[in-house]
């Protein structure tokens, strides 16, 4: 009857050997105590990602569990030793419509154990692990269900458009955190993961309007992606640049201002940079680390030579973004900072991490939550990126072809003025007007302008 029986490795099994030993001791100690003490499931959440669904059970202690896949009908059985459900509504109130789960049932098994059955709408590959309590988060049992079969839901890898030798520049936009990892928390429950996704989507919309660019979002909804997986997704899209967007917290609520970081060669450029890198890199402890992530990061770190060239490009684009953000926000530092952010460890793609402000600062948080400010921030990032690529267009790109041809095209977005566009492209207002047959100073959103060569 059992088609497959798999006891999944715990998160501890995937950590470094030294770490595993201490964790294993801790877990066996917990297992011993769990013989007497039952563990309650006190909360549950479901996160839907493009190719998988994550079910998270909050526990008030570590548990032993096993998971098996059964067929006809398709279902997953999760047995939790000495488990108890705090209240029936914990599982029955879950929103399952977007997930492959049709229904969740549960029953006591052998007096002490809890059996949870996930009835499925379609076949999935399960993977489960335990996460230790961390900060406000409790011990958790994480069950990831990977979509199987014809991959109806799976994300397709889109190749960069190749048309008559002038391709689009691919901009990978990485909204930090997501799902089980909310990122920093601001006043009135403002969460970093929501703010940065909103800014990322504004930036995507701006880039979509400009000929020569193809934006790609690593995260499109409220779910978690591992830190190593983010640059890997960008690489699959053959991205020309990787921009991770954040709005972090600092120990001091007075701290404010926007900043831009590139990967450091070793040490961090400031205490703040070191602190931010440490808190950001902790995200994988919250979201669940996989071995594949480590392999990917290691591969990235080994290519040290190409990283030096990459750091130079990252610094250049970072400076452009920073100077444009200076027109919207106070800058925390006028120079690109350097820190060991795991998400920036791409050897082959210039990568920056943009801190749009401190969500822990009440004044900045109240701005960050508004659509208009999110839009301004996205526009500043866009202008920085565009400024960089107008100067250093990748070979074979449409922007490179336009540059060689002596003129560029620009589509007007909301908030643009003729003088600002002229300033950005380093041309006179008069030249800009005559190239486009404009007599007054009126331009409209969506209007395509020819930028004359300066
Ligand atoms: Zn962050």
């Amino acid at each position: 009857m059992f088609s497959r029986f798999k006891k999944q490795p715990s998160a501890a099994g995937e950590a470094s050997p030294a770490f595993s030993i201490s964790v294993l001791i801790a877990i066996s100690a917990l297992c011993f105590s769990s013989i007497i003490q039952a563990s309650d499931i006190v909360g549950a959440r479901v996160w839907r990602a493009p190719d998988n669904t994550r079910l998270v059970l909050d526990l008030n202690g570590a548990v032993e569990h096993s998971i098996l896949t059964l067929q006809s009908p398709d279902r997953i059985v999760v047995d939790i030793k000495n488990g108890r459900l705090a209240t029936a509504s914990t599982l029955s109130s879950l929103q399952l419509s977007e997930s492959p789960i049709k229904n969740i049932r549960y029953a006591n098994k052998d007096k002490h154990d809890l059996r949870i059955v996930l009835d499925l709408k379609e076949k999935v590959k399960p993977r489960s692990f335990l996460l230790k309590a961390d900060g406000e988060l409790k011990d958790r049992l994480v069950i990831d269900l990977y979509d199987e079969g014809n991959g109806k839901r799976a994300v397709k890898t889109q190749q960069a458009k190749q048309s008559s030798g002038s391709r689009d520049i691919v901009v990978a936009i990485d909204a930090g955190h997501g799902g089980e990892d909310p990122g920093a928390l601001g006043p009135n429950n403002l969460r970093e993961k929501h703010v940065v996704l909103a800014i990322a989507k504004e930036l995507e919309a701006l880039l979509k309007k400009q000929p020569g660019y193809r934006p790609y979002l690593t995260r499109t909804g409220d779910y978690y992606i591992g830190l190593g997986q983010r640059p890997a997704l960008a690489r699959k899209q053959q991205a020309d640049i990787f921009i991770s967007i954040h709005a972090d917290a600092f120990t001091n609520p007075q701290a404010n201002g926007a900043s831009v970081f590139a990967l450091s060669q070793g040490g961090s450029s400031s205490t703040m940079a070191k602190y931010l890198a440490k808190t950001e890199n902790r995200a994988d402890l919250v979201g669940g680390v996989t071995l594949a992530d480590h392999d990917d990061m290691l591969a990235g770190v080994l290519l040290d030579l190409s990283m030096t060239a990459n750091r130079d490009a990252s610094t250049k684009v970072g400076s452009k973004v920073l100077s444009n953000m200076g027109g919207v926000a106070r800058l925390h530092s006028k120079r690109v900072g350097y820190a060991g952010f795991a998400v920036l460890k791409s050897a082959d793609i210039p990568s920056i991490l943009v801190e749009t402000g401190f969500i822990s600062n009440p004044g900045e948080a109240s701005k960050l939550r508004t659509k208009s400010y999110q839009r301004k921030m996205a526009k500043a990032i866009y202008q920085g990126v565009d400024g960089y690529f107008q100067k250093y267009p990748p070979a074979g790109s449409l922007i490179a072809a336009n540059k060689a041809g002596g003129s560029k095209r620009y589509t007007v977005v909301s908030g643009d003025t003729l003088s600002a566009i002229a300033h950005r492209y380093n041309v006179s207002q008069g030249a800009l007007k005559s190239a486009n047959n404009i007599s007054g100073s009126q331009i409209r959103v969506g209007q395509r302008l020819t930028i004359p060569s300066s």
Side-chain angles (χ1 to χ4, degrees):
M1 178 188 165
F2 294 159
S3 63
R4 232 186 314 168
F5 179 86
K6 238 190 203 167
K7 191 158 183 197
Q8 300 289 322
S10 72
E14 295 172 346
S16 65
F19 180 67
S20 321
I21 292 162
S22 59
V23 173
L24 283 176
I25 293 166
I27 285 187
S28 36
L30 284 162
C31 291
F32 184 73
S33 64
S34 71
I35 294 168
I36 327 145
Q37 222 170 15
S39 190
D40 287 344
I41 297 174
V42 290
R45 290 170 298 286
V46 172
W47 306 102
R48 177 65 202 166
D51 62 349
N52 71 81
T53 301
R54 171 166 284 189
L55 170 65
V56 182
L57 303 176
D58 286 327
L59 308 158
N60 59 6
V63 290
E64 262 186 88
H65 79 287
S66 62
I67 185 165
L68 35 121
T69 308
L70 302 176
Q71 281 168 336
S72 31
D74 289 319
R75 59 207 192 276
I76 305 251
V77 175
V78 186
D79 284 331
I80 299 172
K81 255 211 154 82
N82 289 306
R84 271 190 330 210
L85 202 61
T87 56
S89 65
T90 310
L91 294 178
S92 62
S93 59
L94 285 172
Q95 201 27 268
L96 302 173
S97 57
E98 293 290 305
S99 79
I101 307 168
K102 191 162 44 181
N103 182 42
I104 303 183
R105 295 176 281 138
Y106 62 91
N108 287 329
K109 189 190 151 232
D110 304 334
K111 277 189 191 161
H112 303 294
D113 304 341
L114 177 70
R115 166 164 284 189
I116 298 173
V117 180
L118 312 176
D119 291 315
L120 301 170
K121 292 178 223 165
E122 53 203 79
K123 281 197 193 325
V124 292
K125 252 201 198 97
R127 174 180 168 270
S128 66
F129 53 92
L130 290 167
L131 287 174
K132 291 176 82 173
D134 181 59
E136 285 175 13
L137 294 159
K138 296 180 174 300
D139 282 291
R140 283 147 296 155
L141 171 59
V142 179
I143 301 157
D144 284 338
L145 308 172
Y146 288 91
D147 297 349
E148 246 195 9
N150 21 13
K152 274 174 289 178
R153 294 161 179 270
V155 238
K156 283 184 200 86
T157 304
Q158 222 187 327
Q159 294 298 318
K161 190 166 65 192
Q162 299 281 346
S163 63
S164 64
S166 47
R167 65 172 185 90
D168 288 339
I169 290 174
V170 181
V171 181
I173 309 164
D174 175 58
H177 313 278
E180 200 51 19
D181 166 26
L185 188 62
N188 302 318
N189 259 337
L190 183 66
R191 289 183 185 277
E192 181 185 0
K193 64 174 181 178
H194 296 316
V195 170
V196 297
L197 183 62
I199 297 173
K201 286 187 169 169
E202 290 290 344
L203 178 57
E204 180 197 29
L206 282 171
L207 285 161
K208 264 189 181 160
K209 281 185 208 147
Q210 299 303 332
Y213 287 108
R214 182 168 72 79
Y216 165 75
L217 290 176
T218 55
R219 167 166 90 83
T220 55
D222 192 8
Y223 50 86
Y224 185 75
I225 311 173
L227 294 179
Q229 219 183 326
R230 295 168 186 258
L233 284 168
R235 194 166 303 120
K236 239 182 222 171
Q237 298 291 326
Q238 301 171 7
D240 294 277
I241 189 165
F242 177 88
I243 304 165
S244 194
I245 302 178
H246 290 260
D248 273 282
F250 193 52
T251 44
N252 174 6
Q254 247 70 72
N256 68 88
S259 34
V260 175
F261 293 93
L263 186 66
S264 64
Q265 198 150 20
S268 297
S269 60
S270 72
T271 333
M272 167 89 66
K274 202 176 284 172
Y275 174 85
L276 289 176
K278 210 175 85 191
T279 51
E280 284 305 334
N281 293 350
R282 248 175 92 246
D284 263 348
L285 289 178
V286 182
V289 191
T290 69
L291 201 59
D293 289 347
H294 285 298
D295 284 349
D296 187 63
M297 274 191 251
L298 190 63
V301 171
L302 288 173
L303 296 164
D304 198 42
L305 269 180
S306 86
M307 288 189 90
T308 309
N310 217 16
R311 192 173 301 117
D312 179 52
S314 305
T315 304
K316 279 191 176 115
V317 69
S319 308
K320 288 267 185 204
V321 169
L322 205 52
S323 69
N324 279 285
M325 286 206 303
V328 180
R330 200 192 82 83
L331 297 181
H332 188 79
S333 162
K334 287 194 168 61
R335 286 191 176 181
V336 174
Y338 297 93
F341 291 105
V343 81
L344 299 180
K345 286 180 181 165
S346 265
D348 44 352
I349 309 170
S351 306
I352 55 169
L353 188 141
V354 179
E355 287 287 355
T356 54
F358 286 98
I359 216 167
S360 49
N361 178 289
E364 221 145 64
S366 68
K367 284 194 224 161
L368 281 166
R369 72 184 328 139
T370 67
K371 194 97 227 150
S372 65
Y373 192 76
Q374 291 166 357
R375 205 164 273 168
K376 275 187 206 161
M377 210 25 108
K379 195 175 164 196
I381 300 171
Y382 160 72
Q383 287 169 341
V385 170
D386 185 49
Y388 169 79
F389 282 122
Q390 294 295 345
K391 201 164 178 190
Y392 309 101
S397 65
L398 178 69
I399 292 177
N402 285 349
K403 198 182 178 193
S407 65
K408 308 171 190 91
R409 303 280 289 164
Y410 177 78
T411 307
V412 176
V413 296
S414 138
D416 272 340
T417 61
L418 264 181
S419 61
I421 297 168
H423 180 76
R424 193 179 323 142
Y425 289 99
N426 205 18
V427 295
S428 74
Q429 252 196 86
L432 185 59
K433 281 162 76 172
S434 72
N436 293 282
N437 295 321
I438 300 171
S439 48
S441 59
Q442 289 284 3
I443 44 170
R444 57 178 169 75
V445 172
Q447 186 176 353
R448 299 274 283 261
L449 298 179
T450 301
I451 312 287
S453 51
S454 48

